[in-house]
Amino acid sequence: MKTYDLSSDSLRELNQALHDADITASEREWRVANPNGAHNIACGLNDAISVDIDGHAGYYCAGMNQKANVTVHGNVGVGVAENMMSGMVHVKGDASQSAGATAHGGLLVVDGNASARCGISMKGVDIVVKGNIGPMSAFMGQSGCLVVCGDAGEALGDSIYEAHIYVKGSVTSLGADCIEKEMRQEHLDEVSDLLKRAGVETDPAAFKRYGSARQLYNFKVDNASAY
Amino acid sequence: MTDKQSNPALRESATFGRDVIAEIQRAAETGIYDIRGWGAKRKVPHFDDLLFLGASMSRYPLEGYREKCGTDVTLGTRYAKKPIVIDTPVTIAGMSFGALSAQAKEALGRGASEVGTSTTTGDGGMTAEERGQSTKLVYQYLPSRYGMNPDDLRKADAIEIVLGQGAKPGGGGMLLGQKISDRVAQMRNLPMGIDQRSACRHPDWTGPDDLAIKIAELREITDWQVPIYIKVGATRTYYDVKLAVKAGADVVVLDGMQGGTAATQDVFIEHVGIPTMAAIPQAAQALQEMGVHREVQLIVSGGIRNGADVAKAIALGADAVAIGTAALIALGDNHPRYEEEYQKLGSAAGYYDDFQEGKCPAGISTQDPELSKRLDPVAAGKRLANYLRVITLEAQTLARACGKSHLHNLEPEDLVALNIEAAAMARVPLAGTNWIPGQQF
Ligand SMILES: Cc1cc2nc3c(=O)[nH]c(=O)nc-3n(C[C@H](O)[C@H](O)[C@H](O)COP(=O)(O)O)c2cc1C
């Protein structure tokens, strides 16, 4: 295991090493000590390595991740795993706003709570939040799944496209064009699989499904007040 | 709408002109606001209101065609390990694949590459055609993040974070369902045939302090190799430019209200933002006060049509310009050879602005395979290259007349204004006077 200590090593050195395919070919396991909330830790990874961050991370931790497995033993700031393409990001603590924003693939797991705009504009990523999520989550969500074991805040799934949302607890309110939908077998399977991958033991049948009513897909003047 | 009524007793209202009446009737009939392409059509103070003071006794001109007048520009000297060097200060602005056909994007790449300048992606991501044909490609990073992926980011020669556009500062985008082909839908990860809304705010940051961290992230991901631009629509330009510099931009792209668009509400195009000419002095002042003029480069767009516009923008403080509408016209947009078809669409050559409909007879603003095929990317690219050469030569001609051995040596002192509005906005004297409205001396 290769360790970088951000109390003495620079973030630039760390990220440069993590991006260097010659180095990551032989060093598969990495540890980041003393992250101290630094921004942009382990962003832009492009190899199937594993990175453990021992503490809190700032903004855009594991941003645009591809293939790598990043675990944060602490909380993360805004935009964790934003625009992730593949791989997995696991936050052991809480996540700030815009967790998994615009991500196209991979799995993001938050053990604690995630703040506002979780999964905003999600484009294929799967997100499992064991706690609660804040308002405006999955805004304009295009595809992928957002599974919430706790409660969801206001305006869930506003202007949503084809993303799937599953919430076990309460939903303060649904956003424009987002409705509750029937939970069929395929959805139970989908939730069950994601819970398994995130290491959560809960009954998938306890979740409700939310998605697009598809009423705002093409502009109609009669819907003007919904915009 | 263009023919004059022959009966002199009929008086058209200045307030309720026929175009205004037609729009009220259209709104009443359809219940939908007017969405269109192109830029502002109203008359606003522009570069035509400025004139150069050629050299004579007190200044020494350069010999046209013989004495050198440099045109190269280096963009991204502040932080990037690999700044972009362009041979002419005219770049191609970001226009999305989706709004434009793949052939049009390829033609833009070909034309720009032939004269050694850069082209830019747009909403919807990077296509192989444009990467392949563009020697210098700027990758736009937009609020929608449609088609945004780190592999393309790493393939880019520069990254442009789009905060706004001159045609719609404060507004998002809209690609109407009829333009969503399979390929466009797939690149954007959305169902076919639905309206694609592009958000007006970035999903993972708010405000200049966050933007600084976002820029740092993009630099970390690309290992500090390529320049990072910030594009803003011209509104509170002085402050926006200062904040962009503070956030760490290498280059500021400033798009005035005349700037083109693929599809925006007409009310937005015509009523939001300030003219390009008014924005440049604000930007230059901000850069000068921060001591980074020419170190953080300024690219200006919005209504650039000819070499005079290029030279005037540079004299007012720009390092380079970007063109959208003019580039499309050079490719073949609004060409009279399609007059009949424009008529069928309820328009005419020279007026066509319904880019959102996807029925462009010239094969440019469309995703229809049959229409797109009409545009030969090689021939269209050649026309664009010709045009870019012409306007570069024109700018050089004016610069030499002012005694400048490089376009960058042009300065506000070389300009005067034809009217008070232009003098106040451009901050140059009214012709024949030493009066700059609003300034003390
Ligand atoms: C068809 C078309 C598509 C455009 N698409 C984008 C875009 O995707 N992103 C962007 O920042 N600006 C876009 N623009 C604006 C241009 O980048 C540029 O700011 C503008 O065209 C400059 O003004 P001009 O057209 O007067 O040269 C588009 C403009 C046009 C005409």
Side-chain angles (χ1 to χ4, degrees), chain B residues 65-375:
Chain B
Y65 301 105
R66 234 169 296 158
E67 281 175 303
K68 206 173 147 18
C69 175
T71 59
D72 58 299
V73 190
T74 306
L75 300 162
T77 48
R78 190 184 187 195
Y79 293 121
K81 282 186 199 147
K82 292 185 192 153
I84 292 190
V85 183
I86 49 177
D87 300 333
T88 163
V90 188
T91 64
I92 305 301
M95 292 182 275
S96 56
F97 168 67
L100 300 185
S101 63
Q103 286 84 343
K105 288 298 278 179
E106 179 182 338
L108 291 173
R110 286 179 178 275
S113 300
E114 190 176 326
V115 302
T117 190
S118 62
T119 182
T120 313
T121 67
D123 216 357
M126 184 189 284
T127 65
E129 291 92 334
E130 68 179 332
R131 177 62 280 188
Q133 296 304 333
S134 307
T135 51
K136 299 169 184 105
L137 181 60
V138 181
Y139 188 46
Q140 283 202 329
Y141 187 72
L142 296 116
S144 72
R145 312 272 166 91
Y146 287 136
M148 158 60 217
N149 80 63
D151 292 331
D152 289 342
L153 193 76
R154 283 185 281 256
K155 275 185 220 148
D157 300 300
I159 300 165
E160 180 169 304
I161 302 177
V162 179
L163 266 76
Q165 250 178 268
K168 47 176 173 182
M174 173 75 105
L175 194 58
L176 293 183
Q178 51 266 49
K179 282 183 85 171
I180 314 297
S181 67
D182 266 339
R183 185 176 177 198
V184 173
Q186 197 213 333
M187 275 179 76
R188 299 178 181 220
N189 200 307
L190 280 169
M192 248 186 91
I194 70 169
D195 295 348
Q196 300 196 349
R197 296 157 279 181
S198 296
C200 68
R201 295 200 302 258
H202 281 262
D204 56 354
W205 60 270
T206 24
D209 295 332
D210 283 7
L211 176 56
I213 306 171
K214 176 51 77 178
I215 290 177
E217 184 204 10
L218 295 172
R219 290 201 194 279
E220 283 296 320
I221 290 173
T222 53
D223 293 324
W224 292 73
Q225 298 287 319
V226 299
I228 297 193
Y229 304 3
I230 295 183
K231 177 174 181 176
V232 291
T235 55
R236 296 175 184 85
T237 304
Y238 171 75
Y239 297 103
D240 287 345
V241 169
K242 284 207 160 175
L243 291 170
V245 171
K246 183 167 167 282
D250 290 306
V251 173
V252 176
V253 181
L254 175 64
D255 193 23
M257 74 164 283
Q258 299 100 311
T261 175
T264 303
Q265 301 91 324
D266 175 81
V267 70
F268 213 143
I269 299 176
E270 297 289 352
H271 298 279
V272 186
I274 64 171
T276 307
M277 183 178 69
I280 306 175
Q282 289 197 22
Q285 184 191 347
L287 293 169
Q288 279 154 1
E289 285 176 8
M290 295 178 90
V292 293
H293 192 216
R294 306 272 183 235
E295 183 195 339
V296 171
Q297 288 81 30
L298 177 66
I299 301 179
V300 165
S301 59
I304 302 286
R305 306 152 299 174
N306 51 42
D309 292 347
V310 176
K312 288 168 187 175
I314 291 175
L316 290 179
D319 292 271
V321 300
I323 57 168
T325 305
L328 300 185
I329 294 169
L331 297 187
D333 175 54
N334 268 295
H335 199 282
R337 74 204 283 204
Y338 295 115
E339 178 62 41
E340 224 173 276
E341 292 184 56
Y342 285 122
Q343 297 272 357
K344 276 192 214 140
L345 296 171
S347 187
Y351 295 82
Y352 183 68
D353 60 12
D354 284 322
F355 299 167
Q356 79 288 351
E357 286 187 346
K359 295 179 185 156
C360 174
I364 295 171
S365 60
T366 180
Q367 293 301 318
D368 180 301
E370 287 308 310
L371 292 173
S372 307
K373 250 194 289 182
R374 292 182 181 178
L375 190 78

Side-chain angles (χ1 to χ4, degrees), chain A residues 12 15 19 39-40 44 59-60 64 66 78 82-83 85 98 104 123 140 142-143 161 217-219 221, chain B residues 31 144-146 148 150-151 154 188-190 193 195 197 203-205 210 213-214 217 220 223-224:
Chain A
R12 186 76 284 273
N15 284 336
H19 294 167
H39 303 308
N40 307 324
Y59 281 42
Y60 312 130
M64 302 196 199
Q66 287 170 291
V78 171
E82 65 86 12
N83 215 91
M85 304 303 289
S98 304
H104 291 66
K123 299 174 186 346
M140 290 179 98
Q142 296 175 219
S143 60
Y161 291 103
Y217 273 15
N218 292 97
F219 185 86
V221 70
Chain B
S144 72
R145 312 272 166 91
Y146 287 136
M148 158 60 217
D151 292 331
R154 283 185 281 256
R188 299 178 181 220
N189 200 307
L190 280 169
D195 295 348
R197 296 157 279 181
D204 56 354
W205 60 270
D210 283 7
I213 306 171
K214 176 51 77 178
E217 184 204 10
E220 283 296 320
D223 293 324
W224 292 73

Side-chain angles (χ1 to χ4, degrees), chain A residues 33-171:
Chain A
N34 296 308
N36 291 333
H39 303 308
N40 307 324
I41 300 175
C43 58
L45 304 191
N46 195 16
D47 202 349
I49 54 174
S50 81
V51 180
D52 277 86
I53 301 170
D54 282 343
H56 304 311
Y59 281 42
Y60 312 130
C61 179
M64 302 196 199
N65 187 50
Q66 287 170 291
K67 302 177 204 151
N69 203 325
V70 179
T71 307
V72 185
H73 302 270
N75 303 326
V76 291
V78 171
V80 63
E82 65 86 12
N83 215 91
M84 171 159 63
M85 304 303 289
S86 59
M88 178 168 168
V89 175
H90 187 169
V91 180
K92 300 274 185 161
D94 296 324
S96 179
Q97 299 186 33
S98 304
T102 76
H104 291 66
L107 176 66
L108 168 64
V109 178
V110 180
D111 287 354
N113 304 312
S115 181
R117 304 190 188 90
C118 178
I120 182 171
S121 282
M122 55 195 284
K123 299 174 186 346
V125 67
D126 291 317
I127 304 176
V128 178
V129 180
K130 297 186 188 172
N132 307 321
I133 56 168
M136 290 303 282
S137 288
F139 173 66
M140 290 179 98
Q142 296 175 219
S143 60
C145 295
L146 172 61
V147 177
V148 185
C149 302
D151 304 330
E154 294 160 336
L156 179 69
D158 194 283
S159 303
I160 189 169
Y161 291 103
E162 294 297 310
H164 295 182
I165 306 178
Y166 302 97
V167 184
K168 190 174 161 206
S170 66
V171 173

Side-chain angles (χ1 to χ4, degrees), chain B residues 396-409:
Chain B
Q396 283 175 301
T397 302
L398 295 171
R400 282 200 192 88
C402 295
K404 312 293 180 178
S405 61
H406 197 288
L407 291 181
H408 280 175
N409 298 338

